Amino acid sequence: MVLIYSTDADGICYIETSSLDGETNLKQRQVVRGFEDQESEIDPEQFTSKIECETPNNDLNSFRGFVEHSNQERVGLSKENLLLRGCTIRNTEAVVGIVVYAGHETKSMLNNMGPRHKRSKLEKRVNDHILWSCDLAEQVLIPVSLYVSIEFVKLGHIYLIQNDLDFYHEKTDTTIKCRALDIAEDLGQIKYLFSDKTGTLTENKMVFRRCTIAGQEYAHEENAKRLELYQDGESEDEDMAFSSHMLKHVSRVKMSHINAFQSSRSLYRMRGSSFAMGSYHMRQLAFSSPIETEVVPDILLMQKFSRISHRVYARSVMEHMTSETVYITEFFIALAICNTVVVSTPSEPSQKRLWPSLARIPIVPLDEFRKILDKLNIRKLSSSPAPSAGSRVPPSDSPRNGAQMSEVSESETESPVDSSLGVPKQEETLEIESTSTPGPQSQPSAESQLCYEAESPDEAALVHAARAYSCTLQSRSPDQVMIDFGPLGILTFQLLHILPFDALRKRMSVVVRHPILKQVVVYTKGADSVIMDSLRTEPTGIKKVDMQKQRIKEKTQRHLDEYARKGLRTLCIASKVMSDTEYKEWLKEHFIAESDIDSREELLLESALRLETNLTLLGATGVEDRLQEDVPNTIASLRRAGITVWMLTGDKQETAVNVAYSCRLLEPIDKLFTLKADHQEACEQLIDNILEEMRVHLHPKGSCITDLLNVPRTSVDHIPQLSAGLVIDGPTLAFALNESIRPKFLQLTARVRAVICCRATPLQKSLLVKLVRKDLDVMTLAIGDGANDVSMIQVADVGIGISGQEGMQ
């Protein structure tokens, strides 16, 4: 439904989409522009505007439409204004919306293929023989006793699997569960393995490792030592837990022995403070483990950081050249605000700016709601009940009360800034309270209580890195961002616009009004391949300045190449100063693009590209994406066993490719083919071009390959594979799954070592698994840990669900 009202004063609604895309972090949805200043709940019957939107489809990542008012004014709609069926509202008391899709036309239903009964190859063969024997009246060929014996063998197989301590997970105290008796024997016949990425191949933990600012590299050696100590500590804990037990022997004993073994490790489980202590909060807050949040600053960078002051900006303006100190300042400002991170405090109720008429909104108490559900025989309630009235903090006499920062909404207040900068002091102040400790004068500092809800682990890692250098993101609202920047004090940036990340631009930007420069500034972060091409190339007329920028670009590129060789994920940070006139002209055209339906994506892309040009390079970061334990060796073992591994993920292409290289799904020497097209004919042509290139590579003298475009129906073992990988995104996959292109696409996938499907919807995952299973006639296995992986797990011959953070939702 299209969101037209939220009890949040800023018109924000917080949701969790783990049932749709497997992500457990909070996401923001915004009331349609023009409806955010409502003083009371909107009566849908009084809604007179017209909503026009695209036809129902299964794409979870896009929505196009507009609201047309009675005065013919159009307001564009996007996925930021849409609440999907299956998402869970968090930390928001009430919302009102207009339903645009219902029933089987909702995106979640269009991505659901329904359950499928699975039978093993052995069972199918036995049943066929029994039917054949009955037809010929020769029942002696398949005695009933043999059928019974096979069932007992299956029971023994299941027993050994469930009692194997190699499948025991220490932190969650859980063992493997076989929920199907008929398919366990197929595990030894798997030819294709389809794996999710986030939470399956990776821990979904991004660790800040290195950065380069103004051409100067900061290795953060102290932080690297911390990570080594952390890993050594984990290894020692595992050795302590397992040293007194012989796994091979214990894995064959009865379950009672397993229970005793688990009890002997209770002390070890209690020492895992990141899970045992405050486990409820850890399940609610993604990307918040100590290895991600605790960053040790670089000594040299800290020394330079101490030189930051208001005077450096004035000196740079007078000298017409940006000093290294300003580069450092702007770099960390970009890390702190160029994101969509939600600021919250643990175990704190939401403090909202309540309107006087809000008390008249009829909200059903939780007890009554529970009674209603009991009458309907609904046993389970939402995991996030609405906050009770007793948990609210009463508003003060001032129009804007100092707010406790929480997962629902952030304070919109501003603290006074140095008057020497000409920035007027605001009447409001930021008050941060803590109720975690009852004693007076014993509350922890406000900064230590801040928690960050990020849409991606990359954003969380960069915000925590900035915080380590006393550049702390304090609050965020739809119209402003507040940071505490050590030497500069509290800085409040007016948030003018956000351009989210997309696969085509490979970057995201925020447009703010700088409180010190008092100008419109664009902060951009993204892949080095696109940021470097967007830098300003026109000479400024000042030779010294032009030489400085060229030197920074060359040194930064060398550092980026070094980070890539070390397997780090890289992001470039850049900025741009605009005049008010330039910004207003751009904003006018951007609003026109937002309200267009037919060419909305193309117009928005053009608008973003116009803004993200002539950038000034500030620096770059190197972040490590931690893999699950022993993933590279596991993939290597699977390949030696003749199993082809595919990665199916809803994540963006850059992230998926980086993880593929980290887990050795792709090797550095592999040639990478990218299948990306805007329409079906272009997709088919691109597949033909890639197949032709493969033919030339395999047969340089021009010999013919008779089966190049023929899909094998029995086996793919005879097809020669190149040392190459294939990357395809969700929109292009929709074209490739078309019946006319399908044979060529399958032949292409059979000739590469690995296939990576990014931005794939749950339905596309299941369709792809079903296609390979049927058309190639091979045994398939699908593994994932999120609700968005259920469809492909059900379609595969063998499905494995990981009971992780996402799977437990």
Side-chain angles (χ1 to χ4, degrees):
M1 69 179 187
V2 174
L3 184 63
I4 60 174
Y5 175 78
S6 172
T7 52
D8 185 271
D10 300 317
I12 292 178
C13 171
Y14 294 92
I15 62 172
E16 182 183 281
T17 59
S18 58
S19 297
L20 299 174
D21 54 18
E23 299 180 4
T24 58
N25 53 288
L26 289 185
K27 294 181 174 64
Q28 292 187 84
R29 292 296 179 263
Q30 181 72 43
V31 169
V32 176
R33 181 161 48 87
F35 288 90
E36 56 270 77
D37 295 329
Q38 302 293 328
E39 294 187 359
S40 61
E41 182 175 354
I42 295 178
D43 185 357
E45 294 183 356
Q46 303 299 321
F47 184 82
T48 58
S49 301
K50 182 179 72 174
I51 296 179
E52 185 172 330
C53 58
E54 60 187 353
T55 56
N57 59 75
N58 60 7
D59 190 350
L60 301 175
N61 299 310
S62 69
F63 176 68
R64 296 183 295 179
F66 62 82
V67 177
E68 185 174 344
H69 301 302
S70 55
N71 59 359
Q72 305 302 315
E73 180 188 359
R74 288 186 176 184
V75 178
L77 300 177
S78 67
K79 70 172 184 177
E80 302 301 323
N81 310 121
L82 189 69
L83 297 184
L84 297 178
R85 174 179 177 176
C87 68
T88 304
I89 296 178
R90 299 290 190 194
N91 303 10
T92 306
E93 288 186 355
V95 296
V96 176
I98 303 295
V99 175
V100 290
Y101 305 128
H104 290 278
E105 292 184 344
T106 58
K107 292 179 181 289
S108 60
M109 289 295 292
L110 291 173
N111 275 284
N112 185 10
M113 294 191 63
R116 164 180 168 261
H117 177 68
K118 300 181 182 181
R119 294 184 302 163
S120 67
K121 273 191 172 182
L122 177 62
E123 185 178 5
K124 293 177 183 177
R125 184 66 60 85
V126 170
N127 289 341
D128 291 342
H129 278 290
I130 290 179
L131 293 174
W132 182 71
S133 300
C134 291
D135 290 340
L136 297 179
E138 297 179 357
Q139 293 88 343
V140 294
L141 292 178
I142 302 293
V144 176
S145 58
L146 176 60
Y147 199 90
V148 175
S149 300
I150 292 175
E151 294 300 316
F152 273 106
V153 171
K154 291 182 179 180
L155 286 174
H157 192 193
I158 298 298
Y159 176 81
L160 292 175
I161 293 176
Q162 294 193 152
N163 288 355
D164 192 341
L165 283 184
D166 287 335
F167 293 123
Y168 174 75
H169 189 242
E170 175 65 35
K171 292 184 179 179
T172 57
D173 192 20
T174 55
T175 58
I176 190 172
K177 296 179 181 178
C178 293
R179 301 189 182 276
L181 181 65
D182 301 329
I183 61 175
E185 62 266 28
D186 285 343
L187 287 171
Q189 306 173 58
I190 300 299
K191 297 295 294 183
Y192 277 72
L193 187 149
F194 301 88
S195 174
D196 180 38
K197 179 186 72 68
T198 305
T200 305
L201 296 178
T202 71
E203 294 181 353
N204 208 18
K205 293 180 180 179
M206 301 294 178
V207 182
F208 181 83
R209 294 299 301 264
R210 313 175 79 156
C211 70
T212 172
I213 307 175
Q216 174 65 48
E217 208 266 341
Y218 303 96
H220 288 76
E221 296 178 355
E222 295 78 10
N223 192 50
K225 294 177 182 178
R226 174 188 72 90
L227 296 175
E228 292 176 0
L229 292 174
Y230 184 90
Q231 294 170 350
D232 292 343
E234 280 187 335
S235 301
E236 290 177 3
D237 287 341
E238 292 177 359
D239 293 341
M240 291 174 60
F242 288 93
S243 60
S244 59
H245 302 274
M246 297 174 60
L247 288 181
K248 291 184 179 180
H249 173 71
V250 178
S251 63
R252 293 176 172 81
V253 300
K254 296 181 179 180
M255 204 63 193
S256 58
H257 293 179
I258 297 178
N259 295 333
F261 175 69
Q262 295 172 356
S263 300
S264 68
R265 297 196 228 170
S266 59
L267 180 62
Y268 170 70
R269 288 200 302 270
M270 292 180 64
R271 286 196 293 119
S273 59
S274 63
F275 187 87
M277 309 295 287
S279 59
Y280 172 79
H281 178 64
M282 290 302 295
R283 286 195 298 269
Q284 297 296 322
L285 194 61
F287 323 131
S288 59
S289 64
I291 194 172
E292 297 170 282
T293 60
E294 299 172 1
V295 179
V296 180
D298 185 87
I299 296 177
L300 176 59
L301 185 54
M302 280 298 294
Q303 293 175 353
K304 296 181 180 180
F305 197 88
S306 61
R307 305 172 191 167
I308 296 176
S309 67
H310 294 292
R311 291 192 298 270
V312 297
Y313 280 94
R315 189 183 309 118
S316 295
V317 173
M318 293 177 60
E319 297 177 356
H320 301 286
M321 184 172 178
T322 305
S323 66
E324 184 183 25
T325 305
V326 173
Y327 270 102
I328 294 174
T329 306
E330 292 295 292
F331 178 83
F332 282 106
I333 288 177
L335 294 190
I337 71 174
C338 189
N339 51 64
T340 56
V341 173
V342 178
V343 186
S344 63
T345 53
S347 306
E348 288 289 334
S350 166
Q351 168 108 11
K352 300 179 182 177
R353 190 180 68 212
L354 300 179
W355 300 102
S357 60
L358 191 61
R360 298 196 294 270
I361 296 179
I363 300 177
V364 179
L366 183 62
D367 294 337
E368 292 186 23
F369 190 60
R370 186 177 286 111
K371 292 178 182 178
I372 295 174
L373 293 178
D374 290 340
K375 292 179 181 180
L376 296 174
N377 295 324
I378 298 178
R379 300 180 180 179
K380 295 184 179 181
L381 289 172
S382 172
S383 60
S384 177
S388 61
S391 65
R392 298 196 192 117
V393 181
S396 66
D397 296 332
S398 62
R400 293 186 180 181
N401 181 36
Q404 297 169 333
M405 278 174 275
S406 66
E407 294 178 349
V408 181
S409 61
E410 292 79 46
S411 170
E412 289 189 348
T413 60
E414 299 178 355
S415 293
V417 183
D418 191 350
S419 59
S420 63
L421 298 173
V423 180
K425 294 185 178 180
Q426 306 293 327
E427 295 179 0
E428 298 83 17
T429 58
L430 179 67
E431 299 177 8
I432 302 176
E433 301 175 3
S434 173
T435 57
S436 59
T437 308
Q441 307 294 334
S442 61
Q443 289 124 335
S445 64
E447 183 176 330
S448 64
Q449 289 291 295
L450 293 176
C451 299
Y452 298 126
E453 289 275 4
E455 290 193 8
S456 68
D458 305 73
E459 289 191 342
L462 298 182
V463 171
H464 286 298
R467 185 177 180 178
Y469 286 92
S470 301
C471 181
T472 305
L473 176 62
Q474 291 282 2
S475 67
R476 178 186 297 276
S477 67
D479 55 3
Q480 70 178 28
V481 181
M482 183 186 297
I483 64 173
D484 183 359
F485 199 116
L488 301 179
I490 299 292
L491 298 179
T492 303
F493 295 81
Q494 182 185 355
L495 186 56
L496 302 176
H497 214 88
I498 296 179
L499 298 178
F501 180 93
D502 65 60
L504 293 176
R505 290 168 39 248
K506 299 182 181 179
R507 54 186 178 266
M508 79 158 292
S509 299
V510 295
V511 186
V512 298
R513 186 169 297 279
H514 203 292
I516 299 178
L517 299 176
K518 302 179 186 177
Q519 290 181 293
V520 176
V521 179
V522 181
Y523 290 104
T524 303
K525 68 177 181 182
D528 57 328
S529 58
V530 295
I531 296 295
M532 290 297 186
D533 294 337
S534 302
L535 299 180
R536 180 171 181 172
T537 56
E538 298 178 359
T540 61
I542 305 176
K543 185 177 180 180
K544 191 175 181 181
V545 174
D546 295 337
M547 292 179 61
Q548 180 195 39
K549 291 185 177 181
Q550 183 62 29
R551 176 184 58 83
I552 291 174
K553 180 180 179 179
E554 293 174 355
K555 288 188 174 182
T556 302
Q557 187 61 61
R558 288 200 297 267
H559 298 151
L560 288 169
D561 296 339
E562 180 184 354
Y563 294 170
R565 287 192 294 269
K566 294 180 179 294
L568 301 180
R569 295 159 55 91
T570 58
L571 281 176
C572 284
I573 313 296
S575 66
K576 170 186 176 181
V577 179
M578 301 177 66
S579 66
D580 289 348
T581 304
E582 290 174 330
Y583 173 68
K584 289 179 181 178
E585 292 177 356
W586 172 84
L587 189 61
K588 181 180 179 180
E589 296 180 357
H590 191 77
F591 281 156
I592 296 175
E594 284 184 336
S595 57
D596 190 282
I597 289 185
D598 297 330
S599 305
R600 187 173 189 271
E601 281 76 13
E602 293 80 3
L603 294 177
L604 286 177
L605 176 61
E606 293 176 3
S607 176
L609 293 178
R610 283 196 303 269
L611 183 72
E612 297 165 335
T613 56
N614 295 325
L615 301 175
T616 298
L617 183 62
L618 299 176
T621 60
V623 178
E624 178 186 6
D625 187 5
R626 290 174 59 86
L627 298 174
Q628 296 280 7
E629 182 181 357
D630 219 20
V631 166
N633 292 336
T634 302
I635 291 179
S637 299
L638 291 171
R639 280 180 166 164
R640 286 196 299 271
I643 298 176
T644 302
V645 182
W646 288 23
M647 179 197 296
L648 310 183
T649 177
D651 212 335
K652 56 189 179 183
Q653 179 176 326
E654 290 286 328
T655 304
V657 172
N658 285 335
V659 171
Y661 279 114
S662 299
C663 68
R664 304 288 297 277
L665 188 60
L666 293 175
E667 297 291 344
I669 61 172
D670 289 347
K671 182 176 179 57
L672 195 62
F673 295 102
T674 301
L675 199 55
K676 195 178 190 69
D678 297 329
H679 50 87
Q680 186 169 324
E681 291 76 13
C683 178
E684 184 173 11
Q685 182 62 43
L686 189 56
I687 293 177
D688 289 339
N689 294 341
I690 296 176
L691 286 173
E692 177 64 21
E693 184 177 348
M694 289 182 173
R695 186 191 68 80
V696 173
H697 183 82
L698 288 173
H699 300 265
K701 295 183 180 181
S703 58
C704 296
I705 303 178
T706 56
D707 65 339
L708 186 60
L709 300 180
N710 297 324
V711 180
R713 291 286 176 178
T714 56
S715 175
V716 293
D717 293 339
H718 67 282
I719 300 181
Q721 285 188 341
L722 290 175
S723 180
L726 176 67
V727 180
I728 182 172
D729 62 356
T732 310
L733 184 60
F735 302 136
L737 294 178
N738 187 276
E739 190 171 352
S740 61
I741 307 179
R742 188 185 303 169
K744 297 180 182 180
F745 174 67
L746 286 177
Q747 187 67 33
L748 174 60
T749 60
R751 292 192 174 278
V752 296
R753 299 176 68 242
V755 177
I756 302 167
C757 299
C758 53
R759 291 298 185 191
T761 64
L763 180 60
Q764 286 178 327
K765 291 182 178 182
S766 59
L767 288 175
L768 194 57
V769 175
K770 183 178 180 180
L771 175 66
V772 172
R773 176 172 59 84
K774 287 191 171 182
D775 287 28
L776 297 185
D777 192 24
V778 292
M779 296 292 294
T780 59
L781 181 147
I783 179 171
D785 70 321
N788 59 320
D789 303 316
V790 172
S791 294
M792 74 169 182
I793 289 175
Q794 291 177 332
V795 167
D797 294 294
V798 179
I800 299 178
I802 299 177
S803 184
Q805 279 190 334
E806 298 173 13
M808 292 297 291
Q809 299 301 318

